[in-house]
Amino acid sequence: QVQLVESGGGLVQAGGSLRLSCAASGRTFSSYAMGWFRQVPGKEREFVAAISRNGVNIAYVDSVKGRFSISRDNAKNTVYLQMNSLKPEDTAVYYCAADPRYTETIAGSYPYWGQGTQVTVSS
């Protein structure tokens, strides 16, 4: 079992930056692939970024390529999402997720989730 807690969300103007953090409990954090997803009211949860357990395999949704960067520090049991050049359409609740066996872009494949953190980008 792993517990995930997101932080770092907030209100930022278009063009600004935020860094989200996901702190995980447990001694086996390095055994989990990690993902970031986002969701707005009335829409399905959307894949944003994912990183494999060793950090070699990384994937992004096309809309954030060149602006967002996912990374992990296994010594600190933490995964990060650096978000630059933010746009109003990035506004959503951002969720951290963990998978003990696969690096996946489908939300339903992740068994463990954090509570989410709100990101609001004003124009």
Side-chain angles (χ1 to χ4, degrees):
Q1 300 292 320
V2 61
Q3 292 179 305
L4 308 173
V5 181
E6 302 97 333
S7 62
L11 175 64
V12 65
Q13 292 188 355
S17 298
L18 286 173
R19 188 183 72 167
L20 305 183
S21 298
C22 175
S25 64
R27 70 180 75 172
T28 59
F29 174 75
S30 62
S31 298
Y32 292 86
M34 303 296 297
W36 285 98
F37 294 78
R38 63 188 181 187
Q39 188 169 27
V40 299
K43 294 186 177 181
E44 295 183 351
R45 192 163 297 186
E46 177 190 27
F47 166 76
V48 177
I51 186 169
S52 62
R53 53 193 279 173
N54 60 9
V56 174
N57 187 10
I58 295 176
Y60 300 97
V61 66
D62 188 65
S63 61
V64 308
K65 289 181 179 178
R67 299 188 299 119
F68 290 11
S69 179
I70 187 172
S71 62
R72 68 188 299 161
D73 187 339
N74 288 346
K76 297 182 178 180
N77 285 8
T78 303
V79 172
Y80 304 96
L81 184 68
Q82 179 67 46
M83 305 185 296
N84 300 321
S85 301
L86 283 162
K87 304 175 181 179
E89 50 263 44
D90 294 318
T91 296
V93 176
Y94 283 71
Y95 296 90
C96 176
D99 190 320
R101 289 173 287 183
Y102 305 103
T103 306
E104 184 59 70
T105 61
I106 301 174
S109 296
Y110 286 82
Y112 305 110
W113 294 84
Q115 82 288 349
T117 185
Q118 177 71 47
V119 172
T120 302
V121 184
S122 63
S123 61

